Amino acid sequence: MELNRKPLLLIVDDEPANLHVLVESLGNDYVIKAATNGTDAIGIAQDADKPDLILLDVMMPEISGYEVCKTLKEDETTKDIPVIFVTAMELPEWEVCGLELGAVDYICKPINIGVLKARVSTHIKLKQLQEQLVKLSNQDKLTGISNRRHFDEYFDVEWRRNMRNQTPLTIIMADIDYFKRFNDTYGHLAGDVCLVKVAEVLNSVLQRPGDLAARYGGEEFVGVLSNTNAAGAHQIAEAFRSGVEKLAVPHSGSPLGCVTASCGVAAMVPDAAVLPSELIALADKHLYVAKDSGRNVVISSRERGNELV
Ligand SMILES: [Mg+2]
């Protein structure tokens, strides 16, 4: 959730009077969306603008709150939204049932507004912390783009998605030319500044949905392009390569005189008979060809005559 806006609550209750009390009590501190039935609640939870927390009644006609919770927890896009049941069903076995369905809390009616506010606030804070942790665990500390761990996870998900859709998945492997010499000449602090600049260029050319820019390790970067063939990715890699050159960072240790990058591009429609690592290996192979052919160049599947898409 963005820190500069009020958290978004979805409140679900089939009784307008109950809904009114909850909206009145929480409306000052939160942005509120309301639903009076389970179907609408699931629809709102699946919106692009996701609620940060859901207050969910149990007894509702057609779809019960328990069923709504079960559906939300089974959906990859909604499973991380905390759910608090707010219900007149006060028996402990009902509470156990609600918590076992994945709810974070269970509040019995009649509601004490002070207790409700405190619990909502606690769970919103926990959600914010969890989101910060996920962000930190995915981010390369120096450059701010994705780290290797996030790349591995993302690549695996996109491999399977593109296999299902029978669409091409492309990898760009990029490496800063003569980077060791750069560090030796200008020092590691200047090297860090250079890495940040190059990462910014990579991030700026990978902005479509499904694109990911990551630091692979050291001075190596990787781009993942979903539903993109080798020719499309070649253009993007070329925009990155020329963008790095245009930074015009002086590099006296390079025959090219400034900081440059070489890229290897490989694309394939993922196939169950092929290991995902083979696509990375192919991009890596093309990167080595780029290094061998004078650097500051993009080599892709298409150019190598072993086109896979
Ligand atoms: Mg009800």
Side-chain angles (χ1 to χ4, degrees):
M1 72 191 80
E2 293 163 36
L3 293 172
N4 57 0
R5 69 149 167 89
K6 288 181 185 176
L8 174 61
L9 298 189
L10 168 59
I11 304 179
V12 190
D13 201 306
D14 62 317
E15 293 281 342
N18 291 344
L19 211 49
H20 183 73
V21 170
L22 293 170
V23 172
E24 282 290 298
S25 317
L26 298 160
N28 281 339
D29 301 319
Y30 303 98
V31 178
I32 310 271
K33 283 186 180 175
T36 52
N37 64 72
T39 309
D40 288 353
I42 292 166
I44 293 171
Q46 289 169 337
D47 269 358
D49 188 18
K50 299 232 166 295
D52 296 305
L53 187 140
I54 300 173
L55 293 178
L56 186 56
D57 183 23
V58 176
M59 296 264 274
M60 294 187 289
E62 290 170 34
I63 308 178
S64 77
Y66 287 156
E67 287 170 78
V68 171
C69 185
K70 190 165 175 285
T71 303
L72 295 174
K73 294 302 160 188
E74 284 168 356
D75 181 338
E76 194 62 32
T77 67
T78 56
K79 70 178 176 52
D80 294 327
I81 306 172
V83 171
I84 299 179
F85 282 116
V86 180
T87 174
M89 296 166 61
E90 80 286 0
L91 290 179
E93 48 267 44
W94 288 111
E95 181 167 349
V96 169
C97 177
L99 295 173
E100 282 181 351
L101 281 168
V104 293
D105 214 337
Y106 193 97
I107 298 174
C108 292
K109 294 173 186 168
I111 300 160
N112 177 299
I113 295 301
V115 170
L116 174 79
K117 282 184 169 179
R119 292 195 180 173
V120 168
S121 165
T122 297
H123 287 294
I124 287 284
K125 279 181 194 141
L126 285 171
K127 172 92 186 313
Q128 286 168 336
L129 277 174
Q130 188 209 18
E131 285 177 2
Q132 280 173 28
L133 280 176
V134 168
K135 196 176 165 206
L136 282 173
S137 73
N138 285 338
Q139 201 174 43
D140 176 56
K141 196 170 164 235
L142 174 68
T143 62
I145 62 173
S146 290
N147 59 19
R148 172 66 184 273
R149 200 199 68 80
H150 189 219
F151 162 76
D152 287 342
E153 203 177 274
Y154 186 84
F155 177 62
D156 194 48
V157 169
E158 290 305 311
W159 177 269
R160 283 182 276 126
R161 188 203 309 278
N162 284 279
M163 184 169 353
R164 274 198 305 277
N165 299 342
Q166 283 298 289
T167 45
L169 177 65
T170 302
I171 290 290
I172 300 173
M173 288 296 286
D175 187 90
I176 303 177
D177 299 323
Y178 304 106
F179 190 67
K180 191 186 174 304
R181 286 192 209 164
F182 186 88
N183 275 330
D184 291 347
T185 312
Y186 302 99
H188 284 93
L189 284 178
D192 283 353
V193 173
C194 178
L195 287 167
V196 170
K197 285 182 176 171
V198 170
E200 278 168 4
V201 176
L202 186 65
N203 203 34
S204 72
V205 299
L206 294 172
Q207 284 295 325
R208 302 165 315 157
D211 287 352
L212 182 85
R215 187 166 173 207
Y216 198 69
E219 70 273 28
E220 259 199 315
F221 294 89
V222 61
V224 183
L225 299 88
S226 202
N227 191 15
T228 306
N229 62 18
H234 187 96
Q235 282 185 357
I236 290 170
E238 180 53 33
F240 164 71
R241 185 209 61 74
S242 87
V244 172
E245 195 174 13
K246 283 191 190 116
L247 290 172
V249 177
H251 187 352
S252 63
S254 163
L256 301 153
C258 67
V259 168
T260 57
S262 300
C263 299
V265 178
M268 64 173 78
V269 176
D271 186 311
V274 181
L275 286 173
S277 59
E278 289 179 49
L279 180 58
I280 296 171
L282 187 62
D284 228 14
K285 200 169 103 184
H286 293 162
L287 173 61
Y288 279 96
V289 175
K291 292 281 180 188
D292 274 350
S293 55
R295 296 173 170 86
N296 192 26
V297 70
V298 177
I299 300 289
S300 68
S301 298
R302 193 170 288 273
E303 287 191 346
R304 293 271 295 151
N306 56 355
E307 194 185 352
L308 290 159
V309 235

